[in-house]
Amino acid sequence: MFNMLGIQQLASRIKNSEFLGRIYIFVLSNYFKILDSLIKTDKKQILFVSFSGRQYSDSPRAVYERMVKDPRFDNYRFIWGVRDAELVPSNDRTTGVNINSFSYYRTLAKSGIWIGNTSVERLIHVSGRKHLYLQTWHGIPLKHLGPDEPGLNFLTRYWYKHAQFDLLTASGEYDQQIFQHIFPGSRGTQITGLPRNENLGNQMSDRVKQSIKKVLNLDENKRTILFAPTFREYQQDSSSGETTLTLDFNDNDIMRLLDKYNVLFRGHYFVGKTKNNPFVDVSKYQNLNELMQISDLLVTDYSSIMFDFSLLHKPVFLLLEDLQEYSDKRGLYIDPRQLGLSFATTTTGMVDALVKFSFSVESKKAEEFVRRFNPISDFGLATRLLEEKVLQF
């Protein structure tokens, strides 16, 4: 693995110190500027980054997998910036680079196209038009981001202010307006939908669903809940950058819930440990779209996964146990109680509601929700647009 605890601790110190952050920006921005002036940009080399190198996933993966199969990109080279070498797809046209290394900046300078869902440029200041920067942000924001986020570290706040994307994908007018506000340096935000959701427009066959459920050892006679809570930044460990999530379910509620449903637990990638988890843990399952497609219902709190799941026109239920604390410490663009979705403020209240759940009634709420936030009906629009941008560069 590329990733080491010492690197994590150093990165955390730099992010949270304005003094160290300014040194980091000055040194690495100038280092990149020198490299960028000396290294010839290769317009046929594409650099992909997902969640700061933590994963091979999300919209960058969706775009990459389309390009690999598209003959128009046969003469392109693909590079993934990762923290773990095992994440890199195994084929002759794809290589990986340690995103925490100095060599990553050489790759950054040489690659003509950058495609990411968070910062590709490692939070430094990049200017000029030698590179095509395509940003596929990782979801419709419910919680405050960038300049609106309380307690955001200096380095990340600096990046939001100075990031310059050639294209930033949005799902509707709601998130487009937020992105225009939090990324003032971005050159263009377009309503396209998200590439990662393209497969959600293709109905999964019953045979494939059954095979996935068999792998996960699920009961075919029960409906399936996907339980996907977000993380709390204010609970992060200062050295590792991860949080520990403790699930607050009593034995009786667990028995009642599991008697009626299969429950899949999907932890956020910033959650390092989960305690008291009685459910099937699918946090490491690579294909989130598959999990959504085999599930009948999503339970979440403040996670943007609710917007993606709604594209399947299936019910979403919100567990808002710590709404006041989360709103005070993290900030929300919309009170989730005003989203038109059913919710509970305790785990017992949630279980009570799910035991007597009406899927027909709740599906109608999901229909209204998706019309409000995800009006794009052409699921492949974003990927096609990104491909055209690359080909025209």
Side-chain angles (χ1 to χ4, degrees):
M1 288 188 177
F2 291 140
N3 200 2
M4 296 181 293
L5 180 60
I7 293 176
Q8 290 178 326
Q9 292 174 334
L10 177 61
S12 180
R13 287 186 62 191
I14 292 173
K15 278 186 175 182
N16 289 287
S17 167
E18 181 172 350
F19 175 71
L20 294 177
R22 289 191 181 279
I23 293 176
Y24 171 90
I25 292 167
F26 176 80
V27 172
L28 289 181
S29 294
N30 281 287
Y31 175 60
F32 174 78
K33 186 176 181 179
I34 293 170
L35 291 175
D36 208 28
S37 65
L38 297 175
I39 297 174
K40 183 180 179 181
T41 303
D42 186 348
K43 292 187 177 184
K44 296 297 180 69
Q45 180 168 297
I46 306 175
L47 174 65
F48 295 88
V49 176
S50 180
F51 295 111
S52 303
R54 292 180 177 87
Q55 297 181 11
Y56 166 65
S57 65
D58 206 67
S59 290
R61 174 178 177 172
V63 177
Y64 164 78
E65 292 183 346
R66 272 283 296 268
M67 288 181 171
V68 167
K69 298 175 182 177
D70 190 331
R72 295 178 299 172
F73 296 93
D74 283 348
N75 60 343
Y76 281 74
R77 288 175 295 279
F78 307 113
I79 301 180
W80 276 87
V82 293
R83 303 184 183 203
D84 182 348
E86 294 181 359
L87 295 174
V88 181
S90 179
N91 61 65
D92 294 339
R93 299 170 57 201
T94 307
T95 57
V97 59
N98 179 357
I99 200 169
N100 288 320
S101 66
F102 280 103
S103 63
Y104 175 77
Y105 293 93
R106 292 195 293 271
T107 302
L108 191 69
K110 185 175 180 179
S111 302
I113 299 100
W114 305 340
I115 299 177
N117 63 356
T118 51
S119 173
V120 172
E121 72 277 38
R122 308 299 284 146
L123 305 179
I124 64 173
H125 180 59
V126 175
S127 59
R129 300 299 296 269
K130 288 181 64 177
H131 308 272
L132 180 67
Y133 195 171
L134 305 176
Q135 177 62 240
T136 63
W137 191 255
H138 53 280
I140 299 174
L142 183 68
K143 53 193 175 186
H144 283 175
L145 294 173
D148 303 326
E149 186 178 342
L152 185 64
N153 65 70
F154 165 77
L155 199 56
T156 306
R157 186 179 296 276
Y158 178 94
W159 176 72
Y160 275 100
K161 183 178 180 180
H162 294 91
Q164 297 179 353
F165 313 128
D166 294 288
L167 174 66
L168 171 58
T169 59
S171 296
E173 292 183 1
Y174 163 77
D175 56 327
Q176 182 186 43
Q177 291 176 1
I178 293 173
F179 290 147
Q180 289 171 342
H181 162 60
I182 65 176
F183 291 113
S186 179
R187 299 185 179 102
T189 304
Q190 295 188 37
I191 298 175
T192 63
L194 299 181
R196 73 182 185 193
N197 292 330
E198 182 172 352
N199 288 339
L200 295 180
N202 303 321
Q203 187 166 355
M204 179 181 284
S205 69
D206 291 337
R207 181 183 59 81
V208 174
K209 287 182 181 180
Q210 288 171 359
S211 66
I212 295 172
K213 289 181 178 181
K214 186 175 181 180
V215 169
L216 296 175
N217 197 28
L218 303 183
D219 186 341
E220 281 285 348
N221 297 314
K222 296 179 182 179
R223 292 183 186 267
T224 298
I225 293 173
L226 178 59
F227 179 35
T230 191
F231 79 112
R232 278 70 178 156
E233 289 90 336
Y234 46 85
Q235 295 177 352
Q236 276 184 298
D237 183 278
S238 59
S239 59
S240 68
E242 294 181 335
T243 64
T244 297
L245 176 66
T246 301
L247 299 184
D248 182 26
F249 289 84
N250 62 50
D251 291 342
N252 183 54
D253 287 341
I254 293 171
M255 181 181 67
R256 289 197 297 148
L257 193 60
L258 293 181
D259 185 58
K260 186 169 183 177
Y261 297 98
N262 301 304
V263 181
L264 306 176
F265 172 79
R266 177 76 173 191
H268 191 279
Y269 68 92
F270 271 145
V271 174
K273 298 178 182 177
T274 304
K275 297 182 178 179
N276 302 334
N277 180 15
F279 309 127
V280 179
D281 195 328
V282 290
S283 301
K284 303 300 183 183
Y285 193 92
Q286 282 200 352
N287 194 322
L288 178 56
N289 281 6
E290 289 183 353
L291 297 178
M292 290 194 284
Q293 287 169 309
I294 68 168
S295 299
D296 302 288
L297 163 67
L298 173 72
V299 174
T300 187
D301 41 23
Y302 320 106
S303 172
S304 65
I305 192 176
M306 69 177 76
F307 301 103
D308 302 288
F309 191 84
S310 69
L311 289 166
L312 295 168
H313 304 280
K314 295 189 287 191
V316 177
F317 190 93
L318 304 180
L319 177 58
L320 308 176
E321 288 184 287
D322 58 347
L323 176 58
Q324 190 60 56
E325 179 184 22
Y326 194 89
S327 182
D328 290 343
K329 293 183 177 179
R330 187 61 174 83
L332 296 165
Y333 290 111
I334 297 180
D335 185 329
R337 296 170 296 186
Q338 306 302 318
L339 291 172
L341 303 171
S342 293
F343 65 90
T345 56
T346 65
T347 52
T348 297
M350 182 196 79
V351 174
D352 289 341
L354 295 180
V355 166
K356 56 184 180 182
F357 203 69
S358 171
F359 277 82
S360 60
V361 171
E362 299 298 330
S363 293
K364 292 178 182 178
K365 295 179 181 180
E367 293 287 348
E368 182 60 34
F369 182 78
V370 75
R371 282 195 294 270
R372 180 179 176 186
F373 294 102
N374 268 310
I376 296 293
S377 58
D378 183 351
F379 283 69
L381 175 61
T383 304
R384 292 199 308 273
L385 178 61
L386 293 174
E387 287 181 322
E388 291 302 323
K389 287 282 186 181
V390 172
L391 292 169
Q392 294 169 9
F393 181 60

